[in-house]
Amino acid sequence: MKKALITGITGQDGSYLAELLLNKGYKVFGMRRRTSSPIVENIAHIKNEIEFVEGDLLDQGSLTEIIHKTKPDEVYNLAAQSFVGSSWDQPVLTSQVTGLGVTNLLEAIRLNKLDIKFYQASSSEMFGKVLESPQTERTPFYPRSPYGVAKVYGHWITVNYRESFDMFACSGILFNHESPRRGIEFVTRKVTDAVARIKLGLQDQLRLGNLDPKRDWGFAGDYVEAMWLMLQQDEPGDYVIATGETHTVKELVETAFAYVDLNWQDYVVIDPKYIRPVEVDLLIGNPEKANKKLGWKPKVMFKELIEMMVEADLKKYGSH
């Protein structure tokens, strides 16, 4: 039986990946930090099938011990301070967890001298102020937030460990991927949650920042499959995972409100509070390498994704 260790297992991606691996017959270990009230909402339905281990990306000793104890075949590093907005409020913590945390985990694997395949969650935010469109594995990085900068460090340290120690280490440069399990602080979920609440008479307006940024949005359930496929290849590599389509925040808002037969202009208020110090205007990925080498293609596209999220939020509030 194959064994996998997932950091960040309680997050959106961690929960979908855990489901995928359990369905494939893996023994799944989930790393979580010791907190007074563990958040398990995303994995409540499978938590009895996961073996939890306590550790912290900032505590290399705990990571070395976890690797030694669990001896996984695959390690998926999905843990991070992952919200771009918060990275401006907590730039040092973001740098430590999202950047140096990757080194701690790679070093824990190296010290254990085990033949482990490693996946690093890189991000389209590394492209930031994009230097070409669409972005590929060879597009230069120009991050525009502490989060993006930390992800660039995590990405390059993974490449360095791969090349220096002959480790099977891959980075997935994932473009925005969403789902009903997305945290409420992310714009897609903030919108679908508000649309459901407005439709059900629980709130009367939605406050947003800039509606012009364009993003390449896919479904998290599809994207975790790409992570797994990367670690099943003969050779390690880096892959852009994206839909190759771009949509504005305004289109996201229109689609969500249209699904419940409401006109978005009646409810949306632009609030300067939500406008970032520097904005990433356009992200669109070219997933050609993943299509060819991994045989991966997204199944759920933009409209279906947004409607799925609105539907889930309607159910959530409708059932209270």
Side-chain angles (χ1 to χ4, degrees), residues 202 313-320:
L202 300 171
D313 283 327
L314 283 168
K315 270 207 186 77
K316 187 181 76 178
Y317 290 113
S319 62
H320 282 307

Side-chain angles (χ1 to χ4, degrees), residues 26-43:
Y26 279 65
K27 164 114 179 111
V28 174
F29 296 96
M31 189 181 94
R32 60 182 180 190
R33 280 175 305 170
R34 184 190 289 277
T35 51
S36 51
S37 54
I39 302 158
V40 292
E41 186 188 356
N42 285 332
I43 51 166

Side-chain angles (χ1 to χ4, degrees), residues 12 42 179-190:
Q12 166 188 259
N42 285 332
S179 75
R181 299 178 195 172
R182 191 52 139 159
I184 199 79
E185 67 273 21
F186 291 86
V187 69
T188 44
R189 185 66 202 296
K190 179 180 174 178

Side-chain angles (χ1 to χ4, degrees), residues 146-319:
Y147 172 75
V149 173
K151 278 292 185 188
V152 171
Y153 176 91
H155 181 86
W156 281 118
I157 202 71
T158 301
V159 172
N160 274 264
Y161 269 72
R162 176 169 74 217
E163 294 176 352
S164 305
F165 305 116
D166 199 27
M167 285 171 69
F168 193 109
C170 298
S171 281
I173 306 172
L174 271 56
F175 279 67
N176 294 58
H177 46 290
E178 318 294 323
S179 75
R181 299 178 195 172
R182 191 52 139 159
I184 199 79
E185 67 273 21
F186 291 86
V187 69
T188 44
R189 185 66 202 296
K190 179 180 174 178
V191 168
T192 64
D193 181 83
V195 165
R197 289 176 60 85
I198 289 168
K199 182 66 178 176
L200 297 168
L202 300 171
Q203 79 182 58
D204 52 13
Q205 58 172 222
L206 165 60
R207 303 182 83 82
L208 291 170
N210 189 351
L211 298 185
D212 299 328
K214 295 176 175 173
R215 292 291 180 273
D216 184 327
W217 276 299
F219 172 50
D222 291 341
Y223 285 39
V224 298
E225 192 181 351
M227 300 175 185
W228 176 77
L229 285 167
M230 285 177 217
L231 298 197
Q232 311 317 307
Q233 305 305 306
D234 296 331
E235 297 291 327
D238 305 323
Y239 296 86
V240 162
I241 304 298
T243 66
E245 281 186 7
T246 188
H247 298 273
T248 60
V249 175
K250 185 178 163 191
E251 282 178 81
L252 155 68
V253 170
E254 285 171 342
T255 305
F257 275 98
Y259 183 68
V260 295
D261 300 318
L262 294 175
N263 179 0
W264 70 275
Q265 283 152 313
D266 297 337
Y267 303 97
V268 173
V269 178
I270 302 303
D271 187 336
K273 184 174 89 176
Y274 295 113
I275 294 175
R276 289 180 189 162
V278 281
E279 186 58 83
V280 174
D281 300 319
L282 166 66
L283 290 173
I284 176 169
N286 177 355
E288 193 181 336
K289 181 181 175 186
N291 296 162
K292 282 186 179 154
K293 288 205 166 177
L294 306 177
W296 180 86
K297 278 193 167 67
K299 299 181 187 82
V300 179
M301 298 307 274
F302 178 75
K303 185 168 182 283
E304 191 186 341
L305 170 67
I306 303 309
E307 291 178 351
M308 172 207 300
M309 292 174 68
V310 175
E311 188 58 45
D313 283 327
L314 283 168
K315 270 207 186 77
K316 187 181 76 178
Y317 290 113
S319 62

Side-chain angles (χ1 to χ4, degrees), residues 49-66:
E49 299 170 65
I50 297 164
E51 186 171 324
F52 291 98
V53 288
E54 286 190 347
D56 193 311
L57 284 181
L58 299 182
D59 175 10
Q60 206 210 310
S62 72
L63 301 178
T64 306
E65 179 60 24
I66 285 168

